[in-house]
Amino acid sequence: MKKLTLTCDVLSIVKIALQQYIDRFNRNQTDKAIQRASNEVIYHLYTDADIETLLKVWSESNKGETTLFKDGLDNDCRQMWDMIWNSEEYKKILNKQYCMGINGPGVFDKALDRFIPCSIGDHYSAIIRALEEHSDMWSLYKAFKKDLKPIIELDIFILKNFILVGNKNNKTWYVPSERQY
């Protein structure tokens, strides 16, 4: 029998393996923003150069290992996806998905890079939950609630740092000094 010799493009095989992994992962993923951001990265953005860089980082994190998928696809693909999910590029794409309203209404906190979901018409409660994460602003909010005197610094912080997703009112309607008590 003649020996069959095959050649292949390793970068293409790795990209296909990463696509297959994310397709399986997305079946159990309920966060649509994560699904869409992951798909956008691997199906539309990652080039051969990106895959090559990913492989170098993966190899370094595995003590110089150069043999891919020797224990099957899942372990190596999961490690590579963890690297992708922790990258700044991915986080920007994910945040864009949240701000587009893929997961419904909410407040995106730019300072913490975090999306806080809410019900339709309940953005103010989400803003309050977000303020609790900023101790200096939370103190100002508590002072406002006590005296009901506008605190411009608090209003400016909300206007600059929060993106309201799925709201129908003007953003200034949600600042504490504009609320009717």
Side-chain angles (χ1 to χ4, degrees):
M1 177 179 226
K2 285 187 173 183
K3 186 176 182 181
L4 180 63
T5 304
L6 299 172
T7 59
C8 66
D9 178 14
V10 174
L11 299 177
S12 295
I13 289 174
V14 170
K15 187 169 186 174
I16 290 168
L18 290 170
Q19 289 170 341
Q20 289 177 339
Y21 181 88
I22 205 61
D23 288 345
R24 286 191 316 276
F25 174 84
N26 282 342
R27 287 185 201 131
N28 298 319
Q29 180 56 255
T30 58
D31 189 319
K32 291 180 183 176
I34 290 174
Q35 289 177 352
R36 290 182 69 164
S38 299
N39 286 342
E40 185 174 335
V41 165
I42 201 61
Y43 282 103
H44 303 290
L45 295 180
Y46 259 39
T47 63
D48 286 351
D50 295 319
I51 299 292
E52 192 170 349
T53 301
L54 182 65
L55 287 173
K56 287 178 185 173
V57 173
W58 173 85
S59 177
E60 290 168 8
S61 70
N62 285 283
K63 300 175 185 157
E65 180 65 60
T66 56
T67 304
L68 288 167
F69 313 130
K70 67 180 173 185
D71 295 328
L73 293 176
D74 282 350
N75 186 42
D76 293 347
C77 283
R78 176 60 189 211
Q79 288 177 12
M80 288 181 219
W81 268 107
D82 285 341
M83 292 173 195
I84 293 169
W85 289 324
N86 288 315
S87 72
E88 289 303 312
E89 179 185 30
Y90 177 81
K91 289 175 185 175
K92 287 178 186 175
I93 294 166
L94 178 62
N95 292 342
K96 181 181 86 174
Q97 295 295 326
Y98 284 128
C99 291
M100 287 173 44
I102 299 303
N103 283 7
V107 174
F108 184 77
D109 184 337
K110 294 190 284 188
L112 296 177
D113 242 7
R114 196 172 131 228
F115 181 75
I116 301 160
C118 69
S119 302
I120 293 175
D122 196 26
H123 285 83
Y124 193 72
S125 295
I127 289 171
I128 302 310
R129 288 194 313 270
L131 286 175
E132 289 177 14
E133 306 272 335
H134 302 275
S135 58
D136 52 339
M137 292 299 130
W138 184 241
S139 297
L140 290 177
Y141 178 74
K142 288 193 299 189
F144 165 76
K145 288 291 284 180
K146 181 179 178 188
D147 300 333
L148 294 179
K149 292 181 183 171
I151 300 175
I152 301 303
E153 184 180 349
L154 180 61
D155 291 351
I156 291 170
F157 178 82
I158 290 169
L159 293 172
K160 282 186 173 182
N161 291 296
F162 297 155
I163 297 172
L164 305 179
V165 179
N167 64 313
K168 70 176 194 171
N169 294 313
N170 185 311
K171 190 174 181 179
T172 57
W173 190 84
Y174 295 97
V175 296
S177 64
E178 293 294 318
R179 302 292 291 184
Q180 300 297 318
Y181 292 92

